[in-house]
Amino acid sequence: MRVSIKLINIGFGNIVAAERIVAIVSPESAPIKRLISEARDRGILIDATYGRRTRAVIIADSGHVVLSAVQPETVRHRLQTSNTGSNEESN
């Protein structure tokens, strides 16, 4: 049995496993800023922005928080495109 892992490009050649994504949110609200700060303190923050402005915060099922310089809508589109492509391949 072959297991395929779907990967999503989150910018600058950084990739996350699509199945592990719980949420993709904007970094603007106070609760999300607090979540980022707490993740940094706990050592579970992954900064994939390459020094650019954070535009999307990706929350994984493991509790890891990933910062991306790509817009949340762009990540969502890439995720949906990946899901659509895999469904077409399996039919």
Side-chain angles (χ1 to χ4, degrees):
M1 177 177 235
R2 187 174 150 229
V3 178
S4 65
I5 299 174
K6 292 164 190 64
L7 302 173
I8 304 299
N9 182 339
I10 60 166
F12 302 106
N14 297 299
I15 300 170
V16 295
E19 293 84 15
R20 306 298 301 264
I21 296 174
V22 174
I24 305 166
V25 295
S26 172
E28 304 303 320
S29 72
I32 298 303
K33 289 179 181 178
R34 194 167 33 254
L35 178 77
I36 293 168
S37 178
E38 291 171 1
R40 183 176 284 116
D41 294 343
R42 292 176 49 208
I44 57 171
L45 180 71
I46 301 168
D47 187 347
T49 62
Y50 279 74
R52 304 263 191 340
R53 178 174 168 233
T54 300
R55 295 177 183 254
V57 179
I58 301 165
I59 302 166
D61 61 357
S62 62
H64 285 83
V65 177
V66 182
L67 305 181
S68 172
V70 176
Q71 291 285 349
E73 295 81 15
T74 303
V75 178
R76 177 189 55 86
H77 176 72
R78 292 174 183 176
L79 184 60
Q80 286 180 330
T81 302
S82 171
N83 288 339
T84 303
S86 65
N87 290 340
E88 291 172 358
E89 291 173 9
S90 62
N91 287 337

